[in-house]
Amino acid sequence: MSLYPLFVDLKGRAALVIGGGPVAERKIAGLLRAGAQVSVVAETLTDALQELVTQQALQWQSSPFQPAMLDAVWLTIAATDDPALNAAVAAAGESRQRWVNVVDAPRQSSVQIPSVIHRAPLQIAISTHGAAPVLARRLREHIESLLPESIGPLVALAQTFRSRIRQRFPQLGPRRQFYDWLHDGPVGQALANRQPAEATQLLETALAAADPAKPAAGRVTLVGAGPGDPGLLTLAALRALNEADIILHDALVSPAVLDLARRDATLIAVGKRGGGIHTPQSEIHRQLLEHARAGRHVVRLKGGDPFIFGRGGEEIEYLREHHIPYQVVPGITAALACAAYAGISLTHRQHARSIQLVTAHTRDAVPSLDWLSLVQPEQTLAIYMGVAALDAVQQTLLRHGMAPTTPFALIENGSRPDQRTLAGELAQLSELAQAHGISAPALLIIGEVAAMAHRQSWFGEHIDARPAGRLSAETPAQRGSPA
Ligand code: SAH
């Protein structure tokens, strides 16, 4: 047998709570939120409840509980730590045919209060039939994380336009299609972007259009997939992956992240990797446009952050020119992730006051960098690069006066199961990288902070290749976890 779910309108209706402790306090807050007229029966009250009584938001009856108290109320909640009293309240409800909830005692309760997700006016209630309230709470957190904040305003908008939508689409089929469009299309997008006036305008226009059932509904979400560990995705990124029809992804996006995409989404690889087949940017633009114009939700998934050496800027510029709505979800960029996973504090206050993110993807790109600014003291360099450029980076830094003993950490496959961190000194950089067969993707950190990887690395393999003299200066005890 299952419970019968109800949403109860308590506005202006009397409700009774037995007990004046912290549990009662939470229940009373919920009842007041629903507009109930609440009385509390208790010898003593918490400070917060006392305050509500003073404000006349709550009525206090300090006389002992009597079954007849239930006669004048719609709903009663027993929230005391006295099992006999709770049982007496339940029995009174039973004989008087009044709904009673006994907190944490589903068998004594004729109503159970569900775990609720609030996105006013939308509410989602979860029940485990009282079997496992803790699981219900876990589930609630999970659903919370998947539901965008904008779902509430969307429901509110639908509420306002409900009769007009019904008039415009008397038949259920087209009406359903319109609601899908409302949810998935530009109106939902505008609300998610916190542009409510625009959302209303789009809805008005669609209702006035000759063929409103098929407005172009496509859109693009530019999503940062982070460095590889799926745990480093944002909730917004996860949501986008759950909603995508088409995912255009770079080669750099890890398989573990792609695994999280909606099962029936189409995955299209458009990236290049280490000189492999290269999809021209114009072709990526063309595909974005084609799929969005076909009404699909396109996720453009990029490694790290889309705006850090990721050409995300060019892509949204193109979308804007072609009137395709878009959204951008930032991601954790390689420099931040690699530093964290190698135990390197990029701006440790004893060693660095600034950080430069630099790209040196090809040997040809190296000469055009502002080398004088790169060799300044008390700064950390995070260099995004192709492994082939290492030699040029090393030579040029040395030529511009950086000390050959400057520490570096080269992090390969940062945050992925096969992460390796190679630590050494600038003078040996390219030689060591070659000797250890470091390959792309790899991120280079140069500066005093890079030496921290030695003691503080905690993830993946750590190769310490600093000259022996420097190593022996440290006792084993100075090194942190042996990992
Ligand atoms: N938009 C990306 C960077 C793209 S450029 C971001 O924000 O991270 C590609 C370069 O990023 C690679 O050549 C490498 O230097 C670096 N990179 C990306 N992911 C990496 C990872 N998991 N480990 C090490 N380096 C990485």
Side-chain angles (χ1 to χ4, degrees), residues 226-228 252 302-310 332-335 338 361 383-386 411-416 440-444:
L252 208 51
K302 288 169 167 289
D305 179 87
F307 286 169
I308 302 285
F309 308 130
I332 295 188
T333 190
C338 290
H361 259 103
I383 307 184
Y384 294 67
M385 36 107 251
I411 300 125
E412 176 192 52
N413 290 314
S415 89
R416 303 179 182 208
L443 184 107
L444 176 62

Side-chain angles (χ1 to χ4, degrees), residues 117-124 143-144 146-158 182-183 188 191-192 194 243:
I117 297 147
H118 291 276
R119 291 284 194 281
L122 173 75
Q123 295 187 71
I124 299 173
I143 297 174
E144 287 269 12
L146 292 176
L147 272 184
E149 287 300 325
S150 60
I151 191 73
L154 184 70
V155 174
L157 190 68
L182 202 62
H183 183 272
L191 289 172
R194 300 291 189 270
E243 290 171 0

